[in-house]
Each structure stands twice: as C-alpha cells, then as structure tokens.
Amino acid sequence: MTPTAATPLSNLMSSGTHLKLDAPSLFFLEEALAGLQAKQKTLPCKYFYNQYGSQLFDQICDLPGYYPTRTEAGIMADNISGMASVFGPDCLLIEYGSGSSTKTRILLDHLPHLAGYVPMDISREHLHQTAESLALAYPHLEILPLCADYTAPFELPQASRPALSRVVYFPGSTIGNFHRPEAAAFLCRIAEVCGPGGGLLIGVDLRKSAQILEPAYNDAQGVTAAFNLNLLHRMNLELSADFDVENFAHHAFYNEEVGRIEMHLRSLQAQTVYLGGQAIPFDQGETIWTECSYKYSLPEFAAVAASAGFEVRQVWTDREQKFSVQYLTVR
Ligand code: AVI
C-alpha cells in the first residue's frame, strides 16, 4: 500500500482523454497512472476488491494451500475465552474491514457486555447487509455501521451507551499488505483511535518456509492468478484502458530476505497499453508489482508495534506457529 506521486486530477481531466469518470474512478485513474509511469511499475492492491475481486478473495480463503484464514479461525476457536477476557466491560469494538464479519461472530458470541460494535467497510452494500443480519442475531447489541476507508481519517459514530474503552479488531493479516514503515504509521493511527486504555486485537501472519508460502499464493486452480489479473480487467472496464489480459501472467514469490510474498503481473511480450490517453510501454518480462504480503517473526512485529506506541500483551498461535492473533495495548 505505497502511496505514489500522482498526476494531478486537473491534468487528467484536461488531458483530452474525454473519459466521463466519477470522482472515485478519476482517483483510481490518477493512482494507476502514477504507478504505471514509475520505473518499477506498481498498482495499489486495494483495487483488487471490486465485487468480482472480493468473490475471488473469498474463494482464495477456501483454497487448500491458503493456510491463513483457516489457521486464524482455528486460533480464535481454540482461545476464544482468553481473548474475550481482555475486553473490559462497556467496551466499544471497532472492526477494520469488516466484510461479512464472519470471524467477528465468534467474538460477539463471547462478549455480552459490549457498549457497541462498529463494523467498518468501504463497500456500503456489503456493510449494510452485514449490519442487518448482525442486528437480527444480536438484538441486544448496538450496531453502528461505518462506511469508510480505514486508511483515511474518519469519525467514529457515537454509541448511545458511553464506552469505557475501545478495542480495534483487525484480523486477516491485512497489516502484512503494508510495507513495514507504512504498517508502523498505520498502527500509530489505530493507537489514536483506541485512545488511552484501549487495545488492538490483530491477526499477523508469521515467517515460515517458502515451501509453505509460495503454494499459498500460486494455487493450481488459478484463483490467485485470476484475482491478480482482475486489476487489468478493472482498468479496461472502468477506465477504458486497453490491456490485452492474455499478454500478462501472474507471478508470486517469497522474498525471504525481507520476509514478504511479492505478487506481480509479468508482461509476456513487448507491448504498449493505453490508459487515460497515456501510452504505457512494457518490455518483455517487465512486471507490475501489485501486492506485498509481509510475514513477521514475533520480535519483528513487537518492534513495529512498539514504534507505534503499542505493547504486545498476549500472543496466541497455532501449534506450528504459522499464524498469530495478538492483543496489543496503548502504552
Ligand atoms: C488480504 N491479504 C491479507 C491477503 C494476503 O494474503 O496478503 C491478500 C491475498 N493476496 C493473494 N492471496 C491473498
């Protein structure tokens, strides 16, 4: 999730592209052009998640080789009483990127004294459907859905019962999709949202061998490849780009030195693509870097957390130490 130097919107709007784009699409165009005009071409991984991309991600979570979702769910199920005990009474639970709040239900089942639950998601439709079904399942819990991008500043809704503390829930190891300095800056902003006496319950994927990691991002069914290539389809559909998607291939590998999976889209031939009236030349073999997924050792993550003003209070892992769920408090 690296911000890039962007072409100003005003330039794009007057660049003679004659595209009729709404504000979010113009922003997408601006970010895509900035990334594709850099020396190492990049695209922000947040654009994976349109409706089709979110469906593909759900399929990834069920793939036999994609261990994180299943391992995290197992850790939650095995340790739920211990996790629930870190929440004080009248606590406001705030979930970043709540989606369908599947993992949260196990927490909600064990937290009868919450002041409220704030599911936060960028997809309004998904958020409201989830809020409605949660309201039916938990009639005594105040649910305060917040449609927001959690990487940008937002205002928390006011619960009718005053909250004594706030706990942010950020599962799924999405923290791994930030480069390390960005992860620290993001955790710093979470610490501000939690405030004094607050905490963060976070899923963090752990360092492990390339033999386990690489198959998790290179499934034989081609679902991860489709997820990655969907970025090009999105630019064709939404930004009138002319990517020939067949001319690109999914490429994912573990960069052990820095402890991250890198996903790229490799150009299979020399070609030129047009986006927003700009020519984007590709050499054969050149890549667009679309995602990083950092894996942490426990001390590495504790150091990042400390630099953001958090202290690691408790760590739960599976037996093989593939994944961790950690409870951090604001120092
Ligand atoms: C959302 N995020 C934690 C996933 C990951 O593993 O980094 C996204 C993903 N990319 C490919 N497969 C899954």
Side-chain angles (χ1 to χ4, degrees):
M1 294 203 185
T2 309
T4 37
T7 312
L9 279 183
S10 51
N11 289 11
L12 292 174
M13 291 167 92
S14 59
S15 68
T17 59
H18 306 299
L19 286 175
K20 284 211 169 66
L21 298 176
D22 59 11
S25 300
L26 261 177
F27 190 59
F28 179 14
L29 175 59
E30 183 186 33
E31 291 199 292
L33 274 178
L36 293 174
Q37 287 170 338
K39 191 159 184 291
Q40 164 63 69
K41 293 177 169 65
T42 62
L43 284 169
C45 63
K46 66 181 173 188
Y47 292 113
F48 283 139
Y49 301 94
N50 63 347
Q51 205 189 359
Y52 182 55
S54 302
Q55 281 168 9
L56 288 170
F57 181 63
D58 286 346
Q59 287 179 37
I60 288 174
C61 292
D62 288 336
L63 289 170
Y66 191 76
Y67 63 86
T69 314
R70 162 170 346 106
T71 311
E72 184 176 30
I75 296 170
M76 296 289 292
D78 290 347
N79 300 283
I80 192 64
S81 309
M83 286 180 195
S85 69
V86 302
F87 289 75
D90 292 323
C91 167
L92 185 70
L93 175 64
I94 305 152
E95 181 170 3
Y96 279 29
S98 52
S100 44
S101 299
T102 325
K103 290 181 196 124
T104 326
R105 286 175 183 251
I106 181 165
L107 265 180
L108 295 179
D109 289 340
H110 289 79
L111 294 170
H113 304 299
L114 287 179
Y117 168 54
V118 181
M120 198 194 322
D121 208 284
I122 201 154
S123 155
R124 189 173 297 274
E125 210 181 317
H126 208 166
L127 180 71
H128 288 289
Q129 277 167 5
T130 302
E132 274 170 33
S133 72
L134 286 175
L136 287 175
Y138 302 93
H140 303 297
L141 176 65
E142 187 175 14
I143 299 173
L144 302 138
L146 173 60
C147 184
D149 172 359
Y150 56 70
T151 62
F154 59 86
E155 210 167 301
L156 274 180
Q158 193 74 42
S160 39
R161 218 165 101 197
L164 294 180
S165 61
R166 293 174 183 168
V167 173
V168 168
Y169 181 43
F170 191 40
S173 198
T174 304
I175 193 69
N177 298 133
F178 292 82
H179 287 292
R180 295 240 163 103
E182 294 171 26
F186 179 62
L187 290 178
C188 237
R189 293 197 296 277
I190 297 185
E192 279 165 26
V193 171
C194 297
L200 167 64
L201 188 65
I202 185 167
V204 182
D205 199 7
L206 301 178
R207 280 192 184 247
K208 59 187 72 62
S209 76
Q211 279 81 355
I212 297 174
L213 282 166
E214 287 187 343
Y217 293 82
N218 285 294
D219 60 284
Q221 296 89 326
V223 185
T224 311
F227 177 69
N228 200 5
L229 289 161
N230 182 44
L231 278 175
L232 306 185
H233 285 296
R234 268 198 85 171
M235 286 189 286
N236 285 349
L237 274 170
E238 297 172 33
L239 307 178
S240 302
D242 68 348
F243 283 93
D244 185 342
V245 179
E246 305 267 288
N247 286 344
F248 289 86
H250 167 71
H251 178 53
F253 61 93
Y254 185 48
N255 181 338
E256 184 149 18
E257 211 180 299
V258 278
R260 71 179 176 224
I261 286 280
E262 290 184 19
M263 288 214 316
H264 294 251
L265 288 166
R266 187 196 290 284
S267 176
L268 296 176
Q269 58 185 56
Q271 56 186 320
T272 299
V273 173
Y274 288 86
L275 171 67
Q278 311 280 318
I280 317 279
F282 285 88
D283 291 333
Q284 182 173 10
E286 188 179 356
T287 71
I288 309 172
W289 187 3
T290 53
E291 189 184 59
C292 60
S293 191
Y294 282 85
K295 313 301 169 188
Y296 286 90
S297 68
L298 294 176
E300 273 171 348
F301 190 72
V304 173
S307 73
F310 277 111
E311 189 174 343
V312 178
R313 285 305 178 100
Q314 247 179 301
V315 177
W316 297 273
T317 68
D318 54 301
R319 242 187 309 138
E320 292 160 272
Q321 298 232 326
K322 280 188 181 155
F323 198 94
S324 66
V325 178
Q326 310 199 15
Y327 184 65
L328 281 50
T329 52
V330 179
R331 274 184 305 170

